[in-house]
Amino acid sequence: MKKKVIALVLTACMVPVVSVGSGVDVMAAKGDSGDKITLNWQSYDSYDKYQKVIEAFEKENPDIEINFEEVSDYATKILTEATAGDLPDLINCNTGTTQILANAGALQKFDVDALKADTEYKFDDFWDVAERYCTYDGDWYSLPLDGGNYGWVYNVDMFDKCGIEVPEDGFTWDEFTEACKTLMEHKDELGIEYPTIINDMSSAIDTMYPWITEAGGSYLNDDGSCGWNSDETVTAFEYVKSLVDEGYVPAIEKLGDGYDALITKFNAGQIAMCRVALWNSTYLQDDVNWKAMNAPRANDGTQAEVLFLNGIGISSSCENPEAAEKFIKYLTSEEGLALYLEDNTSPQIAVRQSQADLSVSMFDESHDMKLFNTGLEYAGYIDLTETFADQQTIIGQCFDEIWHNDADIKSTLDGMVDQLNSLLAQ
């Protein structure tokens, strides 16, 4: 079973990783370590992203050195090392990877009681949602480090011309529909093609998770079976389809894995609002008068968005777990994360609630980008299990049938759930 689980690491690591770097492989230059403890850290990120934190830690802890290696084909390397039982001491875990490696016995547990008892570490400062990404079977196997979520932006001038006011908490579905209708009525005046576009990304979960959750759908039922064939899930698909049928958004199509295509259209004035990934938000042009807004919410107020959260864990083969935990605690502490966030050229979410402003400090306050961090109160993702990668593939295939082949919504979802339940039962 463990070999099968490990084999899924390669696919799981293809989940979007929120990172920025030089793209150059870097091995931190170290001399003869002498009596020092050397911790090997492999990452899909570049060394310069963490350089200040590493140097600060090593200055405070001269008996420990961090040997950092940026790996261009991270998933393949981790797969090979995990299978051989020869993992590095420190492992970056993107969305879904923590659960797979933990199930395979490749990660060590963190003593959360001890972390909570350390008043200087302030464990409870992490956003509550981090638990979903960093735990497996009730235990913590990684600690939150960074990530990114999705949010919405709108053209202030276009909305003002149409007399549309954006509610502080975001549009309800009815209000969102009405705003789209008003924008279409002023289409020629504004020069837009559509009010917005809904992009069907390669991970279909990212497209529909917010709508399904807002409609009241849950990915897993209380008994552990998949619930994405519920009446609520059907309602979500029918609502999005109604936006297409009314001509408020074009037919759902794949415009790339990121939201650059939407941002390009938004910058060009072809759409009046769009959903944006935080890590792509620097492509929004300042010559457009834009602001962030909270995600649309169901008429009952239920709100959701997609969040990718990356953690860092200690491998089961680490021979110096106390030193490894000491470094990870520093890296994910207020001090360490401040060093990391302050000079980061790509916006990242702040995994600590107290540092929300740091992650979007590169934006002018007029853009209201702080909403991406306060939006973590309602952001999340599907329940992550060790068969996540295969689940993702099945969901994408079935959603494609609905959007691109006009398949019946309910029967397609029923068939999808049958396949997913077979995986969930493993």
Side-chain angles (χ1 to χ4, degrees):
M1 177 63 181
K2 286 186 177 180
K3 287 186 177 180
K4 180 178 180 181
V5 172
I6 286 291
L8 294 174
V9 172
L10 178 62
T11 308
C13 288
M14 294 178 183
V15 172
V17 175
V18 182
S19 62
V20 62
S22 63
V24 179
D25 287 344
V26 178
M27 176 74 79
K30 305 292 179 184
D32 183 9
S33 61
D35 295 329
K36 289 184 178 181
I37 294 173
T38 298
L39 297 174
N40 295 312
W41 179 10
Q42 289 178 354
S43 175
Y44 36 68
D45 283 319
S46 62
Y47 175 65
D48 57 4
K49 183 175 181 179
Y50 302 107
Q51 182 175 359
K52 286 182 63 175
V53 187
I54 292 173
E55 291 176 348
F57 174 80
E58 290 178 333
K59 185 176 181 180
E60 290 186 13
N61 301 273
D63 59 327
I64 304 174
E65 65 176 359
I66 308 300
N67 191 34
F68 184 95
E69 180 185 3
E70 179 187 356
V71 180
S72 58
D73 194 357
Y74 182 75
T76 300
K77 189 170 181 66
I78 288 293
L79 169 65
T80 302
E81 292 170 336
T83 303
D86 187 27
L87 287 160
D89 301 297
L90 306 168
I91 304 176
N92 278 70
C93 299
N94 60 326
T95 299
T97 306
T98 295
Q99 291 71 28
I100 292 172
L101 290 176
N103 179 68
L107 292 176
Q108 299 188 26
K109 296 179 186 179
F110 285 93
D111 185 342
V112 174
D113 290 336
L115 292 174
K116 289 182 177 180
D118 184 347
T119 55
E120 291 186 1
Y121 185 61
K122 301 178 182 178
F123 182 86
D124 290 335
D125 189 31
F126 290 121
W127 290 95
D128 291 341
V129 71
E131 183 173 3
R132 171 170 293 191
Y133 299 81
C134 297
T135 62
Y136 173 72
D137 201 22
D139 292 309
W140 288 73
Y141 286 90
S142 63
L143 292 179
L145 178 58
D146 62 11
N149 55 343
Y150 294 115
W152 285 74
V153 296
Y154 68 99
N155 186 305
V156 176
D157 294 335
M158 289 185 183
F159 274 51
D160 286 348
K161 284 182 180 180
C162 296
I164 300 172
E165 293 187 9
V166 178
E168 182 177 349
D169 294 333
F171 292 113
T172 64
W173 284 12
D174 285 348
E175 291 168 342
F176 185 79
T177 302
E178 188 62 29
C180 288
K181 179 182 178 182
T182 301
L183 288 165
M184 280 302 288
E185 290 172 348
H186 295 79
K187 174 183 176 182
D188 293 339
E189 175 188 351
L190 299 174
I192 60 173
E193 297 174 355
Y194 291 94
T196 189
I197 295 174
I198 296 176
N199 184 17
D200 179 21
M201 295 170 50
S202 60
S203 174
I205 298 171
D206 305 352
T207 304
M208 288 304 298
Y209 170 84
W211 305 105
I212 294 172
T213 304
E214 290 169 0
S218 296
Y219 185 65
L220 293 185
N221 297 315
D222 292 340
D223 63 0
S225 62
C226 183
W228 267 15
N229 62 338
S230 64
D231 291 342
E232 292 82 4
T233 305
V234 173
T235 296
F237 273 91
E238 289 176 343
Y239 174 70
V240 174
K241 190 173 184 300
S242 74
L243 296 175
V244 176
D245 292 343
E246 293 292 336
Y248 300 151
V249 300
I252 309 299
E253 60 179 321
K254 295 184 184 297
L255 297 173
D257 289 346
Y259 279 87
D260 294 354
L262 271 65
I263 292 176
T264 299
K265 289 181 176 294
F266 181 80
N267 287 337
Q270 296 172 1
I271 54 177
M273 55 181 166
C274 70
R275 190 175 179 228
V276 175
L278 177 61
W279 57 92
N280 284 338
S281 58
T282 52
Y283 293 108
L284 292 163
Q285 295 177 356
D286 284 334
D287 58 357
V288 177
N289 184 13
W290 63 269
K291 291 181 71 172
M293 63 180 178
N294 274 304
R297 54 199 170 98
N299 293 330
D300 67 1
T302 303
Q303 204 159 20
E305 250 308 346
V306 165
L307 166 67
F308 295 113
L309 189 144
N310 306 317
I312 181 168
I314 303 171
S315 75
S316 56
S317 59
C318 176
E319 297 180 353
N320 296 285
E322 291 183 1
E325 180 170 322
K326 188 174 186 178
F327 172 69
I328 289 178
K329 283 182 66 176
Y330 180 79
L331 174 62
T332 59
S333 68
E334 284 185 301
E335 180 182 352
L337 287 173
L339 286 171
Y340 164 60
L341 289 170
E342 284 172 352
D343 291 333
N344 206 320
T345 57
S346 175
Q348 308 275 336
I349 61 161
V351 293
R352 288 185 173 273
Q353 300 174 58
S354 62
Q355 297 180 314
D357 291 340
L358 286 178
S359 69
V360 291
S361 59
M362 67 283 296
F363 293 100
D364 187 271
E365 291 184 2
S366 64
H367 294 310
D368 274 355
M369 286 296 288
K370 64 182 183 294
L371 293 180
F372 273 81
N373 276 298
T374 57
L376 293 182
E377 294 177 356
Y378 56 78
Y381 208 54
I382 68 170
D383 303 84
L384 297 166
T385 66
E386 59 267 25
T387 57
F388 165 71
D390 285 342
Q391 295 171 48
Q392 189 178 39
T393 299
I394 291 170
I395 292 168
Q397 292 170 347
C398 293
F399 284 11
D400 280 354
E401 287 297 310
I402 293 173
W403 295 131
H404 310 305
N405 295 327
D406 200 27
D408 177 74
I409 296 173
K410 176 60 175 170
S411 61
T412 302
L413 294 177
D414 285 341
M416 177 188 77
V417 165
D418 286 343
Q419 297 181 68
L420 293 174
N421 283 336
S422 296
L423 290 174
L424 292 167
Q426 293 179 11

PDB file of all heavy atoms in Angstrom, residues 152-165:
ATOM      1  N   TRP A 152     -11.382  38.412  -6.112  1.00  0.00           N
ATOM      2  CA  TRP A 152     -11.984  39.109  -7.248  1.00  0.00           C
ATOM      3  C   TRP A 152     -11.535  40.559  -7.277  1.00  0.00           C
ATOM      4  O   TRP A 152     -11.319  41.177  -6.232  1.00  0.00           O
ATOM      5  CB  TRP A 152     -13.512  39.046  -7.156  1.00  0.00           C
ATOM      6  CG  TRP A 152     -14.079  37.710  -7.520  1.00  0.00           C
ATOM      7  CD1 TRP A 152     -14.050  36.569  -6.775  1.00  0.00           C
ATOM      8  CD2 TRP A 152     -14.752  37.374  -8.738  1.00  0.00           C
ATOM      9  NE1 TRP A 152     -14.663  35.536  -7.439  1.00  0.00           N
ATOM     10  CE2 TRP A 152     -15.116  36.003  -8.646  1.00  0.00           C
ATOM     11  CE3 TRP A 152     -15.106  38.094  -9.888  1.00  0.00           C
ATOM     12  CZ2 TRP A 152     -15.794  35.336  -9.665  1.00  0.00           C
ATOM     13  CZ3 TRP A 152     -15.784  37.433 -10.899  1.00  0.00           C
ATOM     14  CH2 TRP A 152     -16.115  36.073 -10.791  1.00  0.00           C
ATOM     15  N   VAL A 153     -11.383  41.103  -8.482  1.00  0.00           N
ATOM     16  CA  VAL A 153     -11.096  42.522  -8.666  1.00  0.00           C
ATOM     17  C   VAL A 153     -12.111  43.095  -9.653  1.00  0.00           C
ATOM     18  O   VAL A 153     -12.691  42.364 -10.459  1.00  0.00           O
ATOM     19  CB  VAL A 153      -9.659  42.757  -9.194  1.00  0.00           C
ATOM     20  CG1 VAL A 153      -8.630  42.281  -8.176  1.00  0.00           C
ATOM     21  CG2 VAL A 153      -9.434  42.076 -10.543  1.00  0.00           C
ATOM     22  N   TYR A 154     -12.320  44.393  -9.563  1.00  0.00           N
ATOM     23  CA  TYR A 154     -13.270  45.035 -10.473  1.00  0.00           C
ATOM     24  C   TYR A 154     -12.746  46.388 -10.923  1.00  0.00           C
ATOM     25  O   TYR A 154     -11.912  47.006 -10.262  1.00  0.00           O
ATOM     26  CB  TYR A 154     -14.641  45.183  -9.803  1.00  0.00           C
ATOM     27  CG  TYR A 154     -14.704  46.168  -8.656  1.00  0.00           C
ATOM     28  CD1 TYR A 154     -15.208  47.471  -8.853  1.00  0.00           C
ATOM     29  CD2 TYR A 154     -14.286  45.822  -7.371  1.00  0.00           C
ATOM     30  CE1 TYR A 154     -15.275  48.378  -7.800  1.00  0.00           C
ATOM     31  CE2 TYR A 154     -14.357  46.714  -6.322  1.00  0.00           C
ATOM     32  CZ  TYR A 154     -14.850  47.990  -6.537  1.00  0.00           C
ATOM     33  OH  TYR A 154     -14.916  48.895  -5.493  1.00  0.00           O
ATOM     34  N   ASN A 155     -13.239  46.828 -12.073  1.00  0.00           N
ATOM     35  CA  ASN A 155     -12.885  48.130 -12.643  1.00  0.00           C
ATOM     36  C   ASN A 155     -13.763  49.190 -11.987  1.00  0.00           C
ATOM     37  O   ASN A 155     -14.976  49.234 -12.216  1.00  0.00           O
ATOM     38  CB  ASN A 155     -13.081  48.103 -14.160  1.00  0.00           C
ATOM     39  CG  ASN A 155     -12.603  49.371 -14.836  1.00  0.00           C
ATOM     40  OD1 ASN A 155     -13.033  50.466 -14.488  1.00  0.00           O
ATOM     41  ND2 ASN A 155     -11.740  49.223 -15.830  1.00  0.00           N
ATOM     42  N   VAL A 156     -13.170  50.021 -11.166  1.00  0.00           N
ATOM     43  CA  VAL A 156     -13.921  51.008 -10.386  1.00  0.00           C
ATOM     44  C   VAL A 156     -14.661  51.981 -11.296  1.00  0.00           C
ATOM     45  O   VAL A 156     -15.838  52.306 -11.067  1.00  0.00           O
ATOM     46  CB  VAL A 156     -12.977  51.771  -9.441  1.00  0.00           C
ATOM     47  CG1 VAL A 156     -13.738  52.878  -8.702  1.00  0.00           C
ATOM     48  CG2 VAL A 156     -12.323  50.813  -8.457  1.00  0.00           C
ATOM     49  N   ASP A 157     -14.003  52.436 -12.347  1.00  0.00           N
ATOM     50  CA  ASP A 157     -14.624  53.429 -13.243  1.00  0.00           C
ATOM     51  C   ASP A 157     -15.853  52.847 -13.945  1.00  0.00           C
ATOM     52  O   ASP A 157     -16.884  53.521 -14.083  1.00  0.00           O
ATOM     53  CB  ASP A 157     -13.611  53.918 -14.276  1.00  0.00           C
ATOM     54  CG  ASP A 157     -12.468  54.702 -13.642  1.00  0.00           C
ATOM     55  OD1 ASP A 157     -12.679  55.258 -12.539  1.00  0.00           O
ATOM     56  OD2 ASP A 157     -11.374  54.738 -14.238  1.00  0.00           O
ATOM     57  N   MET A 158     -15.752  51.614 -14.383  1.00  0.00           N
ATOM     58  CA  MET A 158     -16.889  50.976 -15.059  1.00  0.00           C
ATOM     59  C   MET A 158     -18.059  50.794 -14.102  1.00  0.00           C
ATOM     60  O   MET A 158     -19.217  51.055 -14.461  1.00  0.00           O
ATOM     61  CB  MET A 158     -16.471  49.630 -15.646  1.00  0.00           C
ATOM     62  CG  MET A 158     -15.546  49.730 -16.851  1.00  0.00           C
ATOM     63  SD  MET A 158     -15.225  48.088 -17.559  1.00  0.00           S
ATOM     64  CE  MET A 158     -14.075  48.507 -18.871  1.00  0.00           C
ATOM     65  N   PHE A 159     -17.773  50.358 -12.897  1.00  0.00           N
ATOM     66  CA  PHE A 159     -18.839  50.166 -11.920  1.00  0.00           C
ATOM     67  C   PHE A 159     -19.489  51.492 -11.566  1.00  0.00           C
ATOM     68  O   PHE A 159     -20.717  51.585 -11.428  1.00  0.00           O
ATOM     69  CB  PHE A 159     -18.294  49.465 -10.664  1.00  0.00           C
ATOM     70  CG  PHE A 159     -18.277  47.969 -10.755  1.00  0.00           C
ATOM     71  CD1 PHE A 159     -17.699  47.310 -11.844  1.00  0.00           C
ATOM     72  CD2 PHE A 159     -18.829  47.188  -9.757  1.00  0.00           C
ATOM     73  CE1 PHE A 159     -17.685  45.929 -11.930  1.00  0.00           C
ATOM     74  CE2 PHE A 159     -18.825  45.804  -9.830  1.00  0.00           C
ATOM     75  CZ  PHE A 159     -18.254  45.175 -10.922  1.00  0.00           C
ATOM     76  N   ASP A 160     -18.679  52.529 -11.443  1.00  0.00           N
ATOM     77  CA  ASP A 160     -19.225  53.852 -11.116  1.00  0.00           C
ATOM     78  C   ASP A 160     -20.133  54.363 -12.229  1.00  0.00           C
ATOM     79  O   ASP A 160     -21.194  54.954 -11.970  1.00  0.00           O
ATOM     80  CB  ASP A 160     -18.089  54.847 -10.871  1.00  0.00           C
ATOM     81  CG  ASP A 160     -17.394  54.629  -9.523  1.00  0.00           C
ATOM     82  OD1 ASP A 160     -17.941  53.865  -8.701  1.00  0.00           O
ATOM     83  OD2 ASP A 160     -16.324  55.220  -9.311  1.00  0.00           O
ATOM     84  N   LYS A 161     -19.730  54.163 -13.470  1.00  0.00           N
ATOM     85  CA  LYS A 161     -20.538  54.609 -14.603  1.00  0.00           C
ATOM     86  C   LYS A 161     -21.908  53.942 -14.616  1.00  0.00           C
ATOM     87  O   LYS A 161     -22.900  54.534 -15.045  1.00  0.00           O
ATOM     88  CB  LYS A 161     -19.819  54.321 -15.931  1.00  0.00           C
ATOM     89  CG  LYS A 161     -18.682  55.278 -16.255  1.00  0.00           C
ATOM     90  CD  LYS A 161     -18.067  54.946 -17.605  1.00  0.00           C
ATOM     91  CE  LYS A 161     -16.924  55.897 -17.941  1.00  0.00           C
ATOM     92  NZ  LYS A 161     -16.313  55.568 -19.258  1.00  0.00           N
ATOM     93  N   CYS A 162     -21.946  52.714 -14.142  1.00  0.00           N
ATOM     94  CA  CYS A 162     -23.193  51.947 -14.137  1.00  0.00           C
ATOM     95  C   CYS A 162     -23.956  52.093 -12.820  1.00  0.00           C
ATOM     96  O   CYS A 162     -25.044  51.509 -12.674  1.00  0.00           O
ATOM     97  CB  CYS A 162     -22.907  50.471 -14.391  1.00  0.00           C
ATOM     98  SG  CYS A 162     -22.211  50.138 -16.017  1.00  0.00           S
ATOM     99  N   GLY A 163     -23.384  52.822 -11.890  1.00  0.00           N
ATOM    100  CA  GLY A 163     -24.053  52.998 -10.604  1.00  0.00           C
ATOM    101  C   GLY A 163     -24.079  51.743  -9.757  1.00  0.00           C
ATOM    102  O   GLY A 163     -24.975  51.564  -8.926  1.00  0.00           O
ATOM    103  N   ILE A 164     -23.093  50.877  -9.951  1.00  0.00           N
ATOM    104  CA  ILE A 164     -23.038  49.617  -9.195  1.00  0.00           C
ATOM    105  C   ILE A 164     -22.185  49.817  -7.951  1.00  0.00           C
ATOM    106  O   ILE A 164     -21.013  50.204  -8.042  1.00  0.00           O
ATOM    107  CB  ILE A 164     -22.450  48.479 -10.045  1.00  0.00           C
ATOM    108  CG1 ILE A 164     -23.297  48.245 -11.296  1.00  0.00           C
ATOM    109  CG2 ILE A 164     -22.345  47.192  -9.225  1.00  0.00           C
ATOM    110  CD1 ILE A 164     -22.681  47.263 -12.272  1.00  0.00           C
ATOM    111  N   GLU A 165     -22.748  49.557  -6.807  1.00  0.00           N
ATOM    112  CA  GLU A 165     -22.005  49.619  -5.558  1.00  0.00           C
ATOM    113  C   GLU A 165     -21.638  48.203  -5.114  1.00  0.00           C
ATOM    114  O   GLU A 165     -22.486  47.298  -5.128  1.00  0.00           O
ATOM    115  CB  GLU A 165     -22.843  50.302  -4.464  1.00  0.00           C
ATOM    116  CG  GLU A 165     -23.108  51.780  -4.734  1.00  0.00           C
ATOM    117  CD  GLU A 165     -23.785  52.462  -3.561  1.00  0.00           C
ATOM    118  OE1 GLU A 165     -23.881  51.826  -2.481  1.00  0.00           O
ATOM    119  OE2 GLU A 165     -24.213  53.610  -3.710  1.00  0.00           O
TER     120      GLU A 165
END
